[in-house]
Amino acid sequence: MNWVTRLLESLWGLYAWLCFALACIFSLLVTIFVPGPERRARLVTFASRSIFALAGIRVAVRGIDNLPVDNCVVVANHASYIDGVLLKAFLPARFGYVIKGEMRDIPVVHFLLRRSGSKFVERKDHSGSARDARSIVKAAQEGASLGFFPEGTFRLEPGVGRFRLGAFMAATKGEMPVVPVAISGTRAMLPSRQFLPRPAKLTIDILPAIAPGDVDYLDSKHLAEAARQRVLTALDEPDLLAT
């Protein structure tokens, strides 16, 4: 890669961050001034999608008909910080996303995420984790549509790791279908330990739902592994649990 190409990629990366910053400012104003959670969620979804449109990022969404019209739980692989913004932008606005509890320590971010429908789960404090898990299960039982990244974090190396059980416990308690989603391209665009994004094509594959009554919907452990295997079939990445 010559210096001209590197310079153009760096300039594009800075422009992409500018698009993100403008969308965040708009979303923050929405969460402060706009009444009603559904209206706020729609406007934040619009702002999230505008990032990709303004930056000229191509996003292919396949299998949208696999999303149930009723409430469900979406579980996706996690490869980059972009993943959450991407799903917020291109899945229906009704979905609230489950975010790591550390985001509570950043007041402005916590306010924006909470007011736009996100929920939080503590990963380090056991009592906080149990309390958050009960809150998420209650939301599922009340019919909320939830989005999870059940790996919990992302790594520099390609691959899909273990799925934690929280999403699947919420699904079984709420008797909601689980929709596996495979995200491709975000690791190439903004991998771990990199600041500037690089141009890349992004793909969201929405896979067939695992519904209550399916053989894979036996318990949270079976459900987690069934969803993980479905995500792996749609990705060109290794299984990090394979021996």
Side-chain angles (χ1 to χ4, degrees):
M1 183 185 298
N2 60 42
W3 70 271
V4 175
T5 302
R6 289 197 296 270
L7 176 61
L8 291 174
E9 284 198 353
S10 296
L11 290 174
W12 180 86
L14 290 170
Y15 172 67
W17 272 119
L18 175 62
C19 295
F20 176 76
L22 292 173
C24 285
I25 292 170
F26 175 84
S27 297
L28 184 59
L29 293 173
V30 163
T31 57
I32 293 172
F33 296 111
V34 174
E38 293 182 3
R39 186 177 300 146
R40 289 196 298 268
R42 287 195 300 270
L43 288 170
V44 172
T45 295
F46 166 79
S48 300
R49 187 171 296 194
S50 72
I51 299 169
F52 300 92
L54 292 172
I57 300 169
R58 294 180 297 163
V59 180
V61 182
R62 302 188 293 220
I64 193 70
D65 291 342
N66 287 325
L67 275 179
V69 294
D70 295 325
N71 295 329
C72 60
V73 170
V74 159
V75 293
N77 61 301
H78 201 11
S80 171
Y81 286 114
I82 299 171
D83 297 333
V85 181
L86 183 68
L87 291 192
K88 184 62 182 174
F90 290 95
L91 291 190
R94 74 177 191 265
F95 281 93
Y97 294 89
V98 179
I99 310 292
K100 61 184 179 181
E102 292 93 310
M103 290 296 102
R104 291 188 177 112
D105 298 331
I106 309 174
V108 174
V109 175
H110 176 226
F111 177 82
L112 193 160
L113 290 172
R114 179 176 58 81
R115 291 275 290 174
S116 59
S118 295
K119 300 185 182 301
F120 300 86
V121 59
E122 181 60 55
R123 300 187 299 175
K124 297 178 181 179
D125 177 68
H126 179 72
S127 61
S129 177
R131 181 184 63 250
D132 291 341
R134 288 193 297 270
S135 175
I136 291 167
V137 167
K138 181 181 178 182
Q141 290 174 324
E142 292 173 351
S145 288
L146 302 171
F148 291 80
F149 296 102
E151 289 171 278
T153 188
F154 57 88
R155 310 167 183 81
L156 183 60
E157 76 232 282
V160 179
R162 188 180 309 279
F163 278 10
R164 301 184 182 191
L165 299 184
F168 308 96
M169 293 173 62
T172 54
K173 293 286 186 181
E175 297 184 341
M176 299 164 68
V178 171
V179 183
V181 170
I183 298 172
S184 304
T186 55
R187 197 189 307 275
M189 179 170 284
L190 189 63
S192 177
R193 303 175 193 169
Q194 181 173 303
F195 174 71
L196 286 179
R198 297 185 296 238
K201 182 180 178 181
L202 309 181
T203 302
I204 303 171
D205 282 300
I206 303 169
L207 307 173
I210 306 172
D214 288 355
V215 67
D216 290 325
Y217 201 98
L218 296 174
D219 57 49
S220 56
K221 289 184 179 179
H222 284 94
L223 187 54
E225 186 57 22
R228 198 179 75 90
Q229 290 299 325
R230 293 194 186 191
V231 168
L232 277 165
T233 62
L235 290 177
D236 187 22
E237 292 196 1
D239 181 353
L240 295 180
L241 301 186
T243 56

